Amino acid sequence: GVKAAMGNQSLGFLDSWLSEIKKVRNKHEKKIFSKYAVEKKRFEKMCEANVAEQVHNVVNNPILQAAWARGQDITVHGWIYNIQNGRLTDLDVSANALKFVSPVHKLTFPNAVSKGDEPIDTLEDILEKNEDWAAAQDPAFLRSLVPSQKPTYLWLGCSDSRVPPNKVLGVGPGEVFVHRDIANVVHASDVSSMSVLEYAVHHLKVKHVVVCGHYGCGGVKAAMGNQSLGFLDSWLSEIKKVRNKHEKKIFSKYAVEKKRFEKMCEANVAEQVHNVVNNPILQAAWARGQDITVHGWIYNIQNGRLTDLDVSANALKFVSPVHKLTFPNAVSKGDEPIDTLEDILEKNEDWAAAQDPAFLRSLVPSQKPTYLWLGCSDSRVPPNKVLGVGPGEVFVHRDIANVVHASDVSSMSVLEYAVHHLKVKHVVVCGHYGCGGVKAAMG
């Protein structure tokens, strides 16, 4: 992401998303280029500057300001990850009070809680866990990840802390490119998920796109009710459409509320698969003969197992007539069998079997994560792996180049839910050296 924003080459849909990183380049380029002559060092410093700017965006956001005004204990951190050695570094741009908000962004809150100068919790304990994880890795393997990423899978999943993709799939860094948001929603007007989809399909040439939901999804549950949740209402409107389409059939067939909820979670996955399959990005890939399959899975928090919902698609014939586009010279392919990814589902089965059943059951009632991770989609930076923590500890939003800005409904919905509803203690904006988005913005 950062790499792309350092250049001037048009990348299609991605250009709109990268404009935010271009702003970072515009602000910092002169200072960085005058101080550093070596291109590699300039690139590294631009990656760090991007993290600092996204921290700035979070700190100045009304969501954080409102939290601090009511006395909530929450700290924002900026970290950078080194793919080559597996280690995280604190960039010393943390903030934990209204005093860190810039004057131009500062809002007035009646009855704001006045707090003293609280010391910054630098999360030494979690950084030590990362140090332990990095020390346990094969140095040659980590170095092999540096030149580029070549993931096989794109995971479009929920931000829920209980569903960390690399953990439940039993795979390591470099294998899964990831986008995570509230309730695994994928729709054509969301620049965040569309940028990830385009980059994964057109540039990384992933073989499989997995839309994965989970039983007990809070976003689906909220959409089944009518209570206003503020900023989240806009995001949940997409799931309300799923409810509107499927509620009558589900409610007439199932009398038990728990079963209705489960079926609505499944329906949401199926609808998001439908959105991906009908998207012009997938249609264009199939038209040029690209080998790519879209899957819909559901995760059971209680037993740790994934289930294929049998809504897969691997060709233009699966596109609905109303969405089907015409492509000159489209490649005509025969009826290719669906690759159901039995190998990766077996890895999940092995992972689930190795978990403590009592621990998994303890996650079911609700999630209580301590951290919100705002990170890059890059397959080489899986948060739960590099932090050395398990399911339930980190709520996550991932997009191209860890961008967080107030006009992005996806990241704002995650930020609001994590801060106001889950009451996380720490928001970590984490970038990484070698970020493709920053590199593209530098040219």
Side-chain angles (χ1 to χ4, degrees), residues 69-94:
R70 60 176 175 261
Q72 192 170 330
D73 178 20
I74 185 168
T75 304
V76 184
H77 310 261
W79 293 352
I80 195 92
Y81 178 73
N82 190 326
I83 293 168
Q84 184 165 323
N85 62 24
R87 286 169 170 82
L88 292 161
T89 299
D90 188 333
L91 294 177
D92 196 24
V93 290
S94 302

mmCIF file with all atom_site columns, all heavy atoms in Angstrom, residues 69-94:
data_model
loop_
_atom_site.group_PDB
_atom_site.id
_atom_site.type_symbol
_atom_site.label_atom_id
_atom_site.label_alt_id
_atom_site.label_comp_id
_atom_site.label_asym_id
_atom_site.label_entity_id
_atom_site.label_seq_id
_atom_site.pdbx_PDB_ins_code
_atom_site.Cartn_x
_atom_site.Cartn_y
_atom_site.Cartn_z
_atom_site.occupancy
_atom_site.B_iso_or_equiv
_atom_site.pdbx_formal_charge
_atom_site.auth_seq_id
_atom_site.auth_comp_id
_atom_site.auth_asym_id
_atom_site.auth_atom_id
_atom_site.pdbx_PDB_model_num
ATOM 1   N N   . ALA A 1 69 ? -13.277 12.279  26.855 1.00 0.00 ? 69 ALA A N   1
ATOM 2   C CA  . ALA A 1 69 ? -14.101 13.271  27.551 1.00 0.00 ? 69 ALA A CA  1
ATOM 3   C C   . ALA A 1 69 ? -14.954 12.625  28.643 1.00 0.00 ? 69 ALA A C   1
ATOM 4   O O   . ALA A 1 69 ? -15.246 13.258  29.665 1.00 0.00 ? 69 ALA A O   1
ATOM 5   C CB  . ALA A 1 69 ? -14.998 14.011  26.553 1.00 0.00 ? 69 ALA A CB  1
ATOM 6   N N   . ARG A 1 70 ? -15.348 11.378  28.450 1.00 0.00 ? 70 ARG A N   1
ATOM 7   C CA  . ARG A 1 70 ? -16.150 10.708  29.490 1.00 0.00 ? 70 ARG A CA  1
ATOM 8   C C   . ARG A 1 70 ? -15.277 9.921   30.472 1.00 0.00 ? 70 ARG A C   1
ATOM 9   O O   . ARG A 1 70 ? -15.777 9.178   31.313 1.00 0.00 ? 70 ARG A O   1
ATOM 10  C CB  . ARG A 1 70 ? -17.201 9.796   28.851 1.00 0.00 ? 70 ARG A CB  1
ATOM 11  C CG  . ARG A 1 70 ? -16.697 8.684   27.986 1.00 0.00 ? 70 ARG A CG  1
ATOM 12  C CD  . ARG A 1 70 ? -17.853 7.795   27.496 1.00 0.00 ? 70 ARG A CD  1
ATOM 13  N NE  . ARG A 1 70 ? -17.360 6.791   26.552 1.00 0.00 ? 70 ARG A NE  1
ATOM 14  C CZ  . ARG A 1 70 ? -17.438 6.891   25.236 1.00 0.00 ? 70 ARG A CZ  1
ATOM 15  N NH1 . ARG A 1 70 ? -18.012 7.949   24.698 1.00 0.00 ? 70 ARG A NH1 1
ATOM 16  N NH2 . ARG A 1 70 ? -16.969 5.940   24.453 1.00 0.00 ? 70 ARG A NH2 1
ATOM 17  N N   . GLY A 1 71 ? -13.964 10.095  30.354 1.00 0.00 ? 71 GLY A N   1
ATOM 18  C CA  . GLY A 1 71 ? -13.061 9.492   31.324 1.00 0.00 ? 71 GLY A CA  1
ATOM 19  C C   . GLY A 1 71 ? -12.616 8.089   31.004 1.00 0.00 ? 71 GLY A C   1
ATOM 20  O O   . GLY A 1 71 ? -12.036 7.394   31.861 1.00 0.00 ? 71 GLY A O   1
ATOM 21  N N   . GLN A 1 72 ? -12.848 7.627   29.773 1.00 0.00 ? 72 GLN A N   1
ATOM 22  C CA  . GLN A 1 72 ? -12.480 6.262   29.407 1.00 0.00 ? 72 GLN A CA  1
ATOM 23  C C   . GLN A 1 72 ? -10.962 6.107   29.337 1.00 0.00 ? 72 GLN A C   1
ATOM 24  O O   . GLN A 1 72 ? -10.255 6.967   28.819 1.00 0.00 ? 72 GLN A O   1
ATOM 25  C CB  . GLN A 1 72 ? -13.112 5.908   28.044 1.00 0.00 ? 72 GLN A CB  1
ATOM 26  C CG  . GLN A 1 72 ? -13.044 4.435   27.688 1.00 0.00 ? 72 GLN A CG  1
ATOM 27  C CD  . GLN A 1 72 ? -13.895 4.109   26.462 1.00 0.00 ? 72 GLN A CD  1
ATOM 28  O OE1 . GLN A 1 72 ? -14.913 4.768   26.217 1.00 0.00 ? 72 GLN A OE1 1
ATOM 29  N NE2 . GLN A 1 72 ? -13.499 3.103   25.709 1.00 0.00 ? 72 GLN A NE2 1
ATOM 30  N N   . ASP A 1 73 ? -10.481 4.992   29.860 1.00 0.00 ? 73 ASP A N   1
ATOM 31  C CA  . ASP A 1 73 ? -9.047  4.696   29.863 1.00 0.00 ? 73 ASP A CA  1
ATOM 32  C C   . ASP A 1 73 ? -8.682  3.993   28.559 1.00 0.00 ? 73 ASP A C   1
ATOM 33  O O   . ASP A 1 73 ? -8.921  2.801   28.395 1.00 0.00 ? 73 ASP A O   1
ATOM 34  C CB  . ASP A 1 73 ? -8.733  3.805   31.072 1.00 0.00 ? 73 ASP A CB  1
ATOM 35  C CG  . ASP A 1 73 ? -7.267  3.394   31.131 1.00 0.00 ? 73 ASP A CG  1
ATOM 36  O OD1 . ASP A 1 73 ? -6.444  4.073   30.497 1.00 0.00 ? 73 ASP A OD1 1
ATOM 37  O OD2 . ASP A 1 73 ? -6.959  2.391   31.809 1.00 0.00 ? 73 ASP A OD2 1
ATOM 38  N N   . ILE A 1 74 ? -8.113  4.746   27.637 1.00 0.00 ? 74 ILE A N   1
ATOM 39  C CA  . ILE A 1 74 ? -7.768  4.177   26.334 1.00 0.00 ? 74 ILE A CA  1
ATOM 40  C C   . ILE A 1 74 ? -6.555  4.906   25.764 1.00 0.00 ? 74 ILE A C   1
ATOM 41  O O   . ILE A 1 74 ? -6.453  6.137   25.850 1.00 0.00 ? 74 ILE A O   1
ATOM 42  C CB  . ILE A 1 74 ? -8.975  4.243   25.358 1.00 0.00 ? 74 ILE A CB  1
ATOM 43  C CG1 . ILE A 1 74 ? -8.656  3.530   24.045 1.00 0.00 ? 74 ILE A CG1 1
ATOM 44  C CG2 . ILE A 1 74 ? -9.421  5.671   25.128 1.00 0.00 ? 74 ILE A CG2 1
ATOM 45  C CD1 . ILE A 1 74 ? -9.886  3.301   23.182 1.00 0.00 ? 74 ILE A CD1 1
ATOM 46  N N   . THR A 1 75 ? -5.634  4.125   25.212 1.00 0.00 ? 75 THR A N   1
ATOM 47  C CA  . THR A 1 75 ? -4.389  4.674   24.673 1.00 0.00 ? 75 THR A CA  1
ATOM 48  C C   . THR A 1 75 ? -4.242  4.285   23.206 1.00 0.00 ? 75 THR A C   1
ATOM 49  O O   . THR A 1 75 ? -4.540  3.148   22.832 1.00 0.00 ? 75 THR A O   1
ATOM 50  C CB  . THR A 1 75 ? -3.174  4.148   25.453 1.00 0.00 ? 75 THR A CB  1
ATOM 51  O OG1 . THR A 1 75 ? -3.343  4.444   26.847 1.00 0.00 ? 75 THR A OG1 1
ATOM 52  C CG2 . THR A 1 75 ? -1.877  4.787   24.960 1.00 0.00 ? 75 THR A CG2 1
ATOM 53  N N   . VAL A 1 76 ? -3.785  5.222   22.390 1.00 0.00 ? 76 VAL A N   1
ATOM 54  C CA  . VAL A 1 76 ? -3.538  4.977   20.967 1.00 0.00 ? 76 VAL A CA  1
ATOM 55  C C   . VAL A 1 76 ? -2.028  4.850   20.765 1.00 0.00 ? 76 VAL A C   1
ATOM 56  O O   . VAL A 1 76 ? -1.252  5.672   21.266 1.00 0.00 ? 76 VAL A O   1
ATOM 57  C CB  . VAL A 1 76 ? -4.094  6.114   20.094 1.00 0.00 ? 76 VAL A CB  1
ATOM 58  C CG1 . VAL A 1 76 ? -3.904  5.792   18.606 1.00 0.00 ? 76 VAL A CG1 1
ATOM 59  C CG2 . VAL A 1 76 ? -5.561  6.371   20.402 1.00 0.00 ? 76 VAL A CG2 1
ATOM 60  N N   . HIS A 1 77 ? -1.616  3.804   20.036 1.00 0.00 ? 77 HIS A N   1
ATOM 61  C CA  . HIS A 1 77 ? -0.204  3.531   19.797 1.00 0.00 ? 77 HIS A CA  1
ATOM 62  C C   . HIS A 1 77 ? 0.092   3.479   18.299 1.00 0.00 ? 77 HIS A C   1
ATOM 63  O O   . HIS A 1 77 ? -0.792  3.139   17.499 1.00 0.00 ? 77 HIS A O   1
ATOM 64  C CB  . HIS A 1 77 ? 0.199   2.178   20.395 1.00 0.00 ? 77 HIS A CB  1
ATOM 65  C CG  . HIS A 1 77 ? -0.201  1.977   21.817 1.00 0.00 ? 77 HIS A CG  1
ATOM 66  N ND1 . HIS A 1 77 ? 0.652   2.156   22.872 1.00 0.00 ? 77 HIS A ND1 1
ATOM 67  C CD2 . HIS A 1 77 ? -1.399  1.596   22.370 1.00 0.00 ? 77 HIS A CD2 1
ATOM 68  C CE1 . HIS A 1 77 ? 0.022   1.896   24.010 1.00 0.00 ? 77 HIS A CE1 1
ATOM 69  N NE2 . HIS A 1 77 ? -1.223  1.550   23.725 1.00 0.00 ? 77 HIS A NE2 1
ATOM 70  N N   . GLY A 1 78 ? 1.337   3.741   17.934 1.00 0.00 ? 78 GLY A N   1
ATOM 71  C CA  . GLY A 1 78 ? 1.789   3.595   16.555 1.00 0.00 ? 78 GLY A CA  1
ATOM 72  C C   . GLY A 1 78 ? 2.989   2.671   16.503 1.00 0.00 ? 78 GLY A C   1
ATOM 73  O O   . GLY A 1 78 ? 4.036   2.973   17.103 1.00 0.00 ? 78 GLY A O   1
ATOM 74  N N   . TRP A 1 79 ? 2.845   1.550   15.829 1.00 0.00 ? 79 TRP A N   1
ATOM 75  C CA  . TRP A 1 79 ? 3.924   0.551   15.743 1.00 0.00 ? 79 TRP A CA  1
ATOM 76  C C   . TRP A 1 79 ? 4.281   0.295   14.283 1.00 0.00 ? 79 TRP A C   1
ATOM 77  O O   . TRP A 1 79 ? 3.462   0.482   13.374 1.00 0.00 ? 79 TRP A O   1
ATOM 78  C CB  . TRP A 1 79 ? 3.496   -0.772  16.366 1.00 0.00 ? 79 TRP A CB  1
ATOM 79  C CG  . TRP A 1 79 ? 3.284   -0.774  17.842 1.00 0.00 ? 79 TRP A CG  1
ATOM 80  C CD1 . TRP A 1 79 ? 3.574   0.228   18.726 1.00 0.00 ? 79 TRP A CD1 1
ATOM 81  C CD2 . TRP A 1 79 ? 2.728   -1.842  18.624 1.00 0.00 ? 79 TRP A CD2 1
ATOM 82  N NE1 . TRP A 1 79 ? 3.241   -0.149  19.999 1.00 0.00 ? 79 TRP A NE1 1
ATOM 83  C CE2 . TRP A 1 79 ? 2.717   -1.416  19.975 1.00 0.00 ? 79 TRP A CE2 1
ATOM 84  C CE3 . TRP A 1 79 ? 2.231   -3.104  18.324 1.00 0.00 ? 79 TRP A CE3 1
ATOM 85  C CZ2 . TRP A 1 79 ? 2.229   -2.206  21.006 1.00 0.00 ? 79 TRP A CZ2 1
ATOM 86  C CZ3 . TRP A 1 79 ? 1.747   -3.902  19.352 1.00 0.00 ? 79 TRP A CZ3 1
ATOM 87  C CH2 . TRP A 1 79 ? 1.754   -3.457  20.677 1.00 0.00 ? 79 TRP A CH2 1
ATOM 88  N N   . ILE A 1 80 ? 5.499   -0.191  14.074 1.00 0.00 ? 80 ILE A N   1
ATOM 89  C CA  . ILE A 1 80 ? 5.938   -0.615  12.742 1.00 0.00 ? 80 ILE A CA  1
ATOM 90  C C   . ILE A 1 80 ? 6.491   -2.035  12.854 1.00 0.00 ? 80 ILE A C   1
ATOM 91  O O   . ILE A 1 80 ? 7.186   -2.365  13.827 1.00 0.00 ? 80 ILE A O   1
ATOM 92  C CB  . ILE A 1 80 ? 7.000   0.347   12.153 1.00 0.00 ? 80 ILE A CB  1
ATOM 93  C CG1 . ILE A 1 80 ? 7.199   0.122   10.643 1.00 0.00 ? 80 ILE A CG1 1
ATOM 94  C CG2 . ILE A 1 80 ? 8.315   0.279   12.901 1.00 0.00 ? 80 ILE A CG2 1
ATOM 95  C CD1 . ILE A 1 80 ? 6.330   0.974   9.776  1.00 0.00 ? 80 ILE A CD1 1
ATOM 96  N N   . TYR A 1 81 ? 6.155   -2.861  11.863 1.00 0.00 ? 81 TYR A N   1
ATOM 97  C CA  . TYR A 1 81 ? 6.581   -4.264  11.873 1.00 0.00 ? 81 TYR A CA  1
ATOM 98  C C   . TYR A 1 81 ? 7.665   -4.480  10.834 1.00 0.00 ? 81 TYR A C   1
ATOM 99  O O   . TYR A 1 81 ? 7.565   -3.998  9.707  1.00 0.00 ? 81 TYR A O   1
ATOM 100 C CB  . TYR A 1 81 ? 5.386   -5.164  11.572 1.00 0.00 ? 81 TYR A CB  1
ATOM 101 C CG  . TYR A 1 81 ? 5.713   -6.646  11.499 1.00 0.00 ? 81 TYR A CG  1
ATOM 102 C CD1 . TYR A 1 81 ? 6.003   -7.375  12.635 1.00 0.00 ? 81 TYR A CD1 1
ATOM 103 C CD2 . TYR A 1 81 ? 5.724   -7.317  10.270 1.00 0.00 ? 81 TYR A CD2 1
ATOM 104 C CE1 . TYR A 1 81 ? 6.298   -8.730  12.578 1.00 0.00 ? 81 TYR A CE1 1
ATOM 105 C CE2 . TYR A 1 81 ? 6.015   -8.675  10.196 1.00 0.00 ? 81 TYR A CE2 1
ATOM 106 C CZ  . TYR A 1 81 ? 6.303   -9.374  11.356 1.00 0.00 ? 81 TYR A CZ  1
ATOM 107 O OH  . TYR A 1 81 ? 6.589   -10.712 11.288 1.00 0.00 ? 81 TYR A OH  1
ATOM 108 N N   . ASN A 1 82 ? 8.695   -5.211  11.224 1.00 0.00 ? 82 ASN A N   1
ATOM 109 C CA  . ASN A 1 82 ? 9.788   -5.532  10.319 1.00 0.00 ? 82 ASN A CA  1
ATOM 110 C C   . ASN A 1 82 ? 9.617   -6.970  9.832  1.00 0.00 ? 82 ASN A C   1
ATOM 111 O O   . ASN A 1 82 ? 9.804   -7.920  10.602 1.00 0.00 ? 82 ASN A O   1
ATOM 112 C CB  . ASN A 1 82 ? 11.139  -5.367  11.030 1.00 0.00 ? 82 ASN A CB  1
ATOM 113 C CG  . ASN A 1 82 ? 12.320  -5.442  10.092 1.00 0.00 ? 82 ASN A CG  1
ATOM 114 O OD1 . ASN A 1 82 ? 12.293  -6.179  9.108  1.00 0.00 ? 82 ASN A OD1 1
ATOM 115 N ND2 . ASN A 1 82 ? 13.363  -4.678  10.397 1.00 0.00 ? 82 ASN A ND2 1
ATOM 116 N N   . ILE A 1 83 ? 9.225   -7.113  8.587  1.00 0.00 ? 83 ILE A N   1
ATOM 117 C CA  . ILE A 1 83 ? 8.983   -8.440  8.021  1.00 0.00 ? 83 ILE A CA  1
ATOM 118 C C   . ILE A 1 83 ? 10.236  -9.308  8.078  1.00 0.00 ? 83 ILE A C   1
ATOM 119 O O   . ILE A 1 83 ? 10.163  -10.523 8.293  1.00 0.00 ? 83 ILE A O   1
ATOM 120 C CB  . ILE A 1 83 ? 8.482   -8.319  6.563  1.00 0.00 ? 83 ILE A CB  1
ATOM 121 C CG1 . ILE A 1 83 ? 7.093   -7.663  6.532  1.00 0.00 ? 83 ILE A CG1 1
ATOM 122 C CG2 . ILE A 1 83 ? 8.432   -9.685  5.873  1.00 0.00 ? 83 ILE A CG2 1
ATOM 123 C CD1 . ILE A 1 83 ? 6.635   -7.242  5.154  1.00 0.00 ? 83 ILE A CD1 1
ATOM 124 N N   . GLN A 1 84 ? 11.399  -8.689  7.941  1.00 0.00 ? 84 GLN A N   1
ATOM 125 C CA  . GLN A 1 84 ? 12.652  -9.431  7.853  1.00 0.00 ? 84 GLN A CA  1
ATOM 126 C C   . GLN A 1 84 ? 13.027  -10.136 9.157  1.00 0.00 ? 84 GLN A C   1
ATOM 127 O O   . GLN A 1 84 ? 13.620  -11.218 9.139  1.00 0.00 ? 84 GLN A O   1
ATOM 128 C CB  . GLN A 1 84 ? 13.781  -8.497  7.427  1.00 0.00 ? 84 GLN A CB  1
ATOM 129 C CG  . GLN A 1 84 ? 15.114  -9.200  7.223  1.00 0.00 ? 84 GLN A CG  1
ATOM 130 C CD  . GLN A 1 84 ? 16.110  -8.344  6.455  1.00 0.00 ? 84 GLN A CD  1
ATOM 131 O OE1 . GLN A 1 84 ? 15.731  -7.621  5.549  1.00 0.00 ? 84 GLN A OE1 1
ATOM 132 N NE2 . GLN A 1 84 ? 17.371  -8.417  6.822  1.00 0.00 ? 84 GLN A NE2 1
ATOM 133 N N   . ASN A 1 85 ? 12.678  -9.531  10.302 1.00 0.00 ? 85 ASN A N   1
ATOM 134 C CA  . ASN A 1 85 ? 13.060  -10.171 11.569 1.00 0.00 ? 85 ASN A CA  1
ATOM 135 C C   . ASN A 1 85 ? 11.867  -10.472 12.484 1.00 0.00 ? 85 ASN A C   1
ATOM 136 O O   . ASN A 1 85 ? 12.048  -10.993 13.594 1.00 0.00 ? 85 ASN A O   1
ATOM 137 C CB  . ASN A 1 85 ? 14.110  -9.331  12.312 1.00 0.00 ? 85 ASN A CB  1
ATOM 138 C CG  . ASN A 1 85 ? 13.600  -7.948  12.699 1.00 0.00 ? 85 ASN A CG  1
ATOM 139 O OD1 . ASN A 1 85 ? 12.397  -7.722  12.829 1.00 0.00 ? 85 ASN A OD1 1
ATOM 140 N ND2 . ASN A 1 85 ? 14.528  -7.019  12.890 1.00 0.00 ? 85 ASN A ND2 1
ATOM 141 N N   . GLY A 1 86 ? 10.652  -10.107 12.038 1.00 0.00 ? 86 GLY A N   1
ATOM 142 C CA  . GLY A 1 86 ? 9.455   -10.446 12.800 1.00 0.00 ? 86 GLY A CA  1
ATOM 143 C C   . GLY A 1 86 ? 9.187   -9.581  14.015 1.00 0.00 ? 86 GLY A C   1
ATOM 144 O O   . GLY A 1 86 ? 8.319   -9.910  14.840 1.00 0.00 ? 86 GLY A O   1
ATOM 145 N N   . ARG A 1 87 ? 9.898   -8.458  14.136 1.00 0.00 ? 87 ARG A N   1
ATOM 146 C CA  . ARG A 1 87 ? 9.786   -7.656  15.357 1.00 0.00 ? 87 ARG A CA  1
ATOM 147 C C   . ARG A 1 87 ? 8.999   -6.354  15.154 1.00 0.00 ? 87 ARG A C   1
ATOM 148 O O   . ARG A 1 87 ? 9.090   -5.710  14.108 1.00 0.00 ? 87 ARG A O   1
ATOM 149 C CB  . ARG A 1 87 ? 11.176  -7.351  15.912 1.00 0.00 ? 87 ARG A CB  1
ATOM 150 C CG  . ARG A 1 87 ? 11.814  -8.578  16.567 1.00 0.00 ? 87 ARG A CG  1
ATOM 151 C CD  . ARG A 1 87 ? 13.285  -8.399  16.882 1.00 0.00 ? 87 ARG A CD  1
ATOM 152 N NE  . ARG A 1 87 ? 13.777  -9.516  17.708 1.00 0.00 ? 87 ARG A NE  1
ATOM 153 C CZ  . ARG A 1 87 ? 14.148  -10.699 17.211 1.00 0.00 ? 87 ARG A CZ  1
ATOM 154 N NH1 . ARG A 1 87 ? 14.076  -10.920 15.899 1.00 0.00 ? 87 ARG A NH1 1
ATOM 155 N NH2 . ARG A 1 87 ? 14.573  -11.656 18.012 1.00 0.00 ? 87 ARG A NH2 1
ATOM 156 N N   . LEU A 1 88 ? 8.261   -6.008  16.208 1.00 0.00 ? 88 LEU A N   1
ATOM 157 C CA  . LEU A 1 88 ? 7.505   -4.766  16.258 1.00 0.00 ? 88 LEU A CA  1
ATOM 158 C C   . LEU A 1 88 ? 8.320   -3.690  16.969 1.00 0.00 ? 88 LEU A C   1
ATOM 159 O O   . LEU A 1 88 ? 9.027   -3.982  17.940 1.00 0.00 ? 88 LEU A O   1
ATOM 160 C CB  . LEU A 1 88 ? 6.196   -4.965  17.020 1.00 0.00 ? 88 LEU A CB  1
ATOM 161 C CG  . LEU A 1 88 ? 5.139   -5.856  16.357 1.00 0.00 ? 88 LEU A CG  1
ATOM 162 C CD1 . LEU A 1 88 ? 4.129   -6.344  17.396 1.00 0.00 ? 88 LEU A CD1 1
ATOM 163 C CD2 . LEU A 1 88 ? 4.425   -5.096  15.246 1.00 0.00 ? 88 LEU A CD2 1
ATOM 164 N N   . THR A 1 89 ? 8.188   -2.444  16.497 1.00 0.00 ? 89 THR A N   1
ATOM 165 C CA  . THR A 1 89 ? 8.855   -1.313  17.145 1.00 0.00 ? 89 THR A CA  1
ATOM 166 C C   . THR A 1 89 ? 7.837   -0.224  17.433 1.00 0.00 ? 89 THR A C   1
ATOM 167 O O   . THR A 1 89 ? 7.033   0.141   16.565 1.00 0.00 ? 89 THR A O   1
ATOM 168 C CB  . THR A 1 89 ? 9.964   -0.731  16.243 1.00 0.00 ? 89 THR A CB  1
ATOM 169 O OG1 . THR A 1 89 ? 10.943  -1.749  16.000 1.00 0.00 ? 89 THR A OG1 1
ATOM 170 C CG2 . THR A 1 89 ? 10.642  0.458   16.910 1.00 0.00 ? 89 THR A CG2 1
ATOM 171 N N   . ASP A 1 90 ? 7.863   0.276   18.662 1.00 0.00 ? 90 ASP A N   1
ATOM 172 C CA  . ASP A 1 90 ? 6.991   1.386   19.054 1.00 0.00 ? 90 ASP A CA  1
ATOM 173 C C   . ASP A 1 90 ? 7.598   2.677   18.504 1.00 0.00 ? 90 ASP A C   1
ATOM 174 O O   . ASP A 1 90 ? 8.767   2.990   18.763 1.00 0.00 ? 90 ASP A O   1
ATOM 175 C CB  . ASP A 1 90 ? 6.902   1.437   20.582 1.00 0.00 ? 90 ASP A CB  1
ATOM 176 C CG  . ASP A 1 90 ? 5.863   2.427   21.083 1.00 0.00 ? 90 ASP A CG  1
ATOM 177 O OD1 . ASP A 1 90 ? 5.579   3.412   20.370 1.00 0.00 ? 90 ASP A OD1 1
ATOM 178 O OD2 . ASP A 1 90 ? 5.350   2.224   22.195 1.00 0.00 ? 90 ASP A OD2 1
ATOM 179 N N   . LEU A 1 91 ? 6.802   3.446   17.746 1.00 0.00 ? 91 LEU A N   1
ATOM 180 C CA  . LEU A 1 91 ? 7.301   4.677   17.124 1.00 0.00 ? 91 LEU A CA  1
ATOM 181 C C   . LEU A 1 91 ? 7.184   5.901   18.030 1.00 0.00 ? 91 LEU A C   1
ATOM 182 O O   . LEU A 1 91 ? 7.435   7.028   17.592 1.00 0.00 ? 91 LEU A O   1
ATOM 183 C CB  . LEU A 1 91 ? 6.567   4.921   15.799 1.00 0.00 ? 91 LEU A CB  1
ATOM 184 C CG  . LEU A 1 91 ? 6.834   3.891   14.696 1.00 0.00 ? 91 LEU A CG  1
ATOM 185 C CD1 . LEU A 1 91 ? 5.999   4.205   13.459 1.00 0.00 ? 91 LEU A CD1 1
ATOM 186 C CD2 . LEU A 1 91 ? 8.317   3.828   14.346 1.00 0.00 ? 91 LEU A CD2 1
ATOM 187 N N   . ASP A 1 92 ? 6.766   5.683   19.266 1.00 0.00 ? 92 ASP A N   1
ATOM 188 C CA  . ASP A 1 92 ? 6.706   6.757   20.261 1.00 0.00 ? 92 ASP A CA  1
ATOM 189 C C   . ASP A 1 92 ? 5.795   7.908   19.822 1.00 0.00 ? 92 ASP A C   1
ATOM 190 O O   . ASP A 1 92 ? 6.172   9.082   19.881 1.00 0.00 ? 92 ASP A O   1
ATOM 191 C CB  . ASP A 1 92 ? 8.122   7.273   20.566 1.00 0.00 ? 92 ASP A CB  1
ATOM 192 C CG  . ASP A 1 92 ? 8.177   8.095   21.849 1.00 0.00 ? 92 ASP A CG  1
ATOM 193 O OD1 . ASP A 1 92 ? 7.301   7.911   22.719 1.00 0.00 ? 92 ASP A OD1 1
ATOM 194 O OD2 . ASP A 1 92 ? 9.082   8.940   21.978 1.00 0.00 ? 92 ASP A OD2 1
ATOM 195 N N   . VAL A 1 93 ? 4.609   7.542   19.331 1.00 0.00 ? 93 VAL A N   1
ATOM 196 C CA  . VAL A 1 93 ? 3.611   8.560   18.962 1.00 0.00 ? 93 VAL A CA  1
ATOM 197 C C   . VAL A 1 93 ? 2.303   8.303   19.711 1.00 0.00 ? 93 VAL A C   1
ATOM 198 O O   . VAL A 1 93 ? 1.226   8.659   19.245 1.00 0.00 ? 93 VAL A O   1
ATOM 199 C CB  . VAL A 1 93 ? 3.369   8.574   17.436 1.00 0.00 ? 93 VAL A CB  1
ATOM 200 C CG1 . VAL A 1 93 ? 4.579   9.113   16.702 1.00 0.00 ? 93 VAL A CG1 1
ATOM 201 C CG2 . VAL A 1 93 ? 3.003   7.179   16.917 1.00 0.00 ? 93 VAL A CG2 1
ATOM 202 N N   . SER A 1 94 ? 2.412   7.698   20.894 1.00 0.00 ? 94 SER A N   1
ATOM 203 C CA  . SER A 1 94 ? 1.219   7.308   21.651 1.00 0.00 ? 94 SER A CA  1
ATOM 204 C C   . SER A 1 94 ? 0.482   8.515   22.229 1.00 0.00 ? 94 SER A C   1
ATOM 205 O O   . SER A 1 94 ? 1.057   9.584   22.436 1.00 0.00 ? 94 SER A O   1
ATOM 206 C CB  . SER A 1 94 ? 1.610   6.364   22.790 1.00 0.00 ? 94 SER A CB  1
ATOM 207 O OG  . SER A 1 94 ? 2.256   5.214   22.300 1.00 0.00 ? 94 SER A OG  1
#
